[in-house]
Amino acid sequence: MSRFLEVVAVADAVRTAISIAPAGAGETVPVEQAAGRVLAAPVTADSDIPGFDRSVVDGYAVRSSDTTGAGPSSPSLLQSVGRIAMGMSDTALVLRESECAYIPTGGVLPKGADAAVMIEYTEGAGDTILIKKPASHGENVLLRDEDFRKGETVFTTGRRLTPQDAGVLAACGCAMVTVAKKPVVGIISTGNELVPVTARPGPGQVRDANAPMLAAWLSEYGCMPRIYGIVKDEREAFESVITRALPECDVVLLSGGSSKDDRDMTAGVIAGKGEVIIHGIALAPGKPSIIGRIDKKPVFGLPGHPASAFVVLIAIVRPLLNTMLGLTSAPLRTVKATLADNIPSQRGREEYVRVRVENGVATPLFGKSGLLNTLVKSDGLICIPAGFEGLEKGSPVDVILW
Ligand code: AMP
Ligand code: MG
């Protein structure tokens, strides 16, 4: 660690990571599978939506001018001249003065009508309908192109689609959606002390927490994680797994062994097969991180401590994935809060502190960096920029939620 004489600013590390991002590709998926994916081509409405003037209430289609001044004690008396059926357009039905027609929610507004009155404000007496509330022009009516106009851009490239978006896409006639291909991200855990999750650790052993954690986050972020298991701190074994992973992945994450101790092999292995571009980032936790490249593919060395690995994933790897996915906005979920305690920090490095957030107050959890429990007792991270010597109690902060 002491040999990290030169560390690179987070912004520079991010720039480097982005600069080595392989070009992303696109693919088409059925609209019902598009949520969570990033749009790779803009979507335009294939027609006016809803496509016809329609009522948004159950009631009577009216000419608004016929209802002027209507009230409970002075209703407008209108003649019912028909009932509108759902899914049908009765072009023969035209409302003339003092006429109305029953209309269900979503029904096609008949010609002549320009508003609808809710059934609650009407009373039927045979074909005569008492309208007890005035309707203004356009009231309770959606116009044919009010949602989207034919040819209008509904979504632009780079949007991460939500389930609601899938509904809009379907309404716009988009059965297949062009989205960014999921980057395949290999995960290799290194360490003689590591055992798989299914094993009971013996003395000195710990379970591999990083692979499932990284994989889970990557899946949620729209990538395809590929876990290559645990590799001993032996150069040959390490190299052979990387050699296997590279052709199968777009990006490879190596967890553990990223520092500059004699036993840390990650940098040596990357340098042997490609290039180490950055080794050491002004980031805490996460300083002993590596950005490298083998066969034109980005290879990251993440520190073994799960909390550190996670911060590097968020701060450094995520921007590269954003580029590959073509995400125009990188939606980190954040909330504003007020800091409950002073947080000291070293000027010159970007520091991420885990915090718990309750009622708008962010309480820092100053756990030892090797502890796992602060990852789950916390709600997220706050970032103290490199130029700050800590933050004072009461400062407004943006919490990056997990
Ligand atoms: P390293 O970065 O290899 O020096 O590891 C730093 C610390 O993180 C050591 O205490 C390791 O045991 C621990 N560690 C490394 N890899 C993992 C992992 N995959 N899961 C949980 N802890 C790990
Ligand atoms: Mg290790």
Side-chain angles (χ1 to χ4, degrees):
M1 282 284 213
S2 56
R3 277 168 281 169
F4 278 110
L5 296 177
E6 276 195 26
V7 289
V8 171
V10 169
D12 292 331
V14 167
R15 244 191 307 279
T16 298
I18 288 173
S19 75
I20 60 170
E27 63 181 353
T28 58
V29 296
V31 62
E32 64 273 20
Q33 290 165 22
R37 306 296 297 271
V38 180
L39 204 56
V43 174
T44 53
D46 73 338
S47 53
D48 286 341
I49 307 212
F52 54 91
D53 296 348
R54 70 193 316 207
S55 174
V56 298
V57 295
D58 288 327
Y60 283 89
V62 298
R63 299 157 66 102
S64 58
S65 54
D66 287 343
T67 67
T68 310
S73 56
S74 55
S76 297
L77 302 183
L78 304 184
Q79 224 21 58
S80 176
V81 293
R83 292 180 72 84
I84 287 141
M86 284 304 282
M88 313 267 273
S89 174
D90 184 354
T91 46
L93 183 63
V94 181
L95 292 196
R96 283 169 237 288
E97 205 177 325
S98 297
E99 289 181 347
C100 64
Y102 176 78
I103 191 165
T105 302
V108 181
L109 203 69
K111 283 211 187 70
D114 69 339
V117 178
M118 278 172 88
I119 193 92
E120 288 86 334
Y121 300 108
T122 68
E123 201 180 310
D127 281 346
T128 303
I129 308 298
L130 282 63
I131 305 287
K132 300 176 176 178
K133 196 180 179 206
S136 55
H137 174 71
E139 191 167 336
N140 295 326
V141 165
L142 272 187
L143 299 180
R144 61 171 297 129
D145 60 356
E146 193 166 332
D147 238 345
F148 298 101
R149 195 162 302 137
K150 181 177 178 170
E152 177 181 337
T153 301
V154 177
F155 296 123
T156 50
T157 301
R159 176 185 179 91
R160 185 169 321 254
L161 296 168
T162 65
Q164 304 91 290
D165 292 349
V168 171
L169 287 165
C172 291
C174 192
M176 297 297 289
V177 190
T178 306
V179 295
K181 228 177 177 157
K182 293 184 174 193
V184 179
V185 183
I187 301 166
I188 303 173
S189 305
T190 72
N192 288 340
E193 76 283 21
L194 297 182
V195 294
V197 57
T198 46
R200 183 168 290 280
Q205 297 182 322
V206 293
R207 291 196 181 102
D208 174 11
N210 287 348
M213 176 182 70
L214 298 169
W217 186 90
L218 288 163
S219 292
E220 214 177 81
Y221 208 66
C223 303
M224 193 91 83
R226 230 170 210 273
I227 295 178
Y228 286 87
I230 298 164
V231 182
K232 294 264 182 247
D233 294 317
E234 292 158 11
R235 190 163 178 133
E236 258 176 40
F238 203 167
E239 281 177 345
S240 98
V241 180
I242 294 189
T243 306
R244 185 154 60 86
L246 276 167
E248 297 173 348
C249 301
D250 301 306
V251 179
V252 177
L253 305 182
L254 309 169
S255 127
S258 64
S259 199
K260 292 196 176 176
D261 191 90
D262 291 340
R263 284 156 300 171
D264 293 316
M265 290 184 324
T266 307
V269 168
I270 298 174
K273 298 181 72 64
E275 55 170 333
V276 169
I277 306 170
I278 286 174
H279 193 182
I281 300 174
L283 175 65
K287 179 167 147 183
S289 296
I290 302 166
I291 304 177
R293 187 157 51 168
I294 306 172
D295 299 341
K296 297 196 176 134
K297 299 204 175 161
V299 178
F300 289 87
L302 311 182
H305 282 309
S308 311
F310 199 83
V311 166
V312 178
L313 177 73
I314 300 274
I316 311 292
V317 180
R318 189 179 51 88
L320 167 125
L321 298 173
N322 290 346
T323 305
M324 293 178 70
L325 287 164
L327 258 180
T328 43
S329 60
L332 278 181
R333 289 191 311 129
T334 61
V335 289
K336 295 205 177 296
T338 306
L339 203 54
D341 280 315
N342 292 331
I343 305 181
S345 167
Q346 247 177 41
R347 191 187 274 280
R349 67 179 191 188
E350 196 165 295
E351 188 150 354
Y352 285 83
V353 178
R354 279 153 269 170
V355 294
R356 204 173 46 230
V357 188
E358 266 165 334
N359 302 322
V361 176
T363 309
L365 303 177
F366 297 112
K368 293 174 185 158
S369 71
L371 290 176
L372 279 167
N373 68 48
T374 52
L375 267 178
V376 284
K377 285 184 180 156
S378 57
D379 297 300
L381 293 168
I382 59 172
C383 172
I384 304 168
F388 282 62
E389 251 166 38
L391 288 176
E392 279 182 18
K393 177 178 172 170
S395 305
V397 289
D398 286 317
V399 180
I400 303 166
L401 296 174
W402 293 133

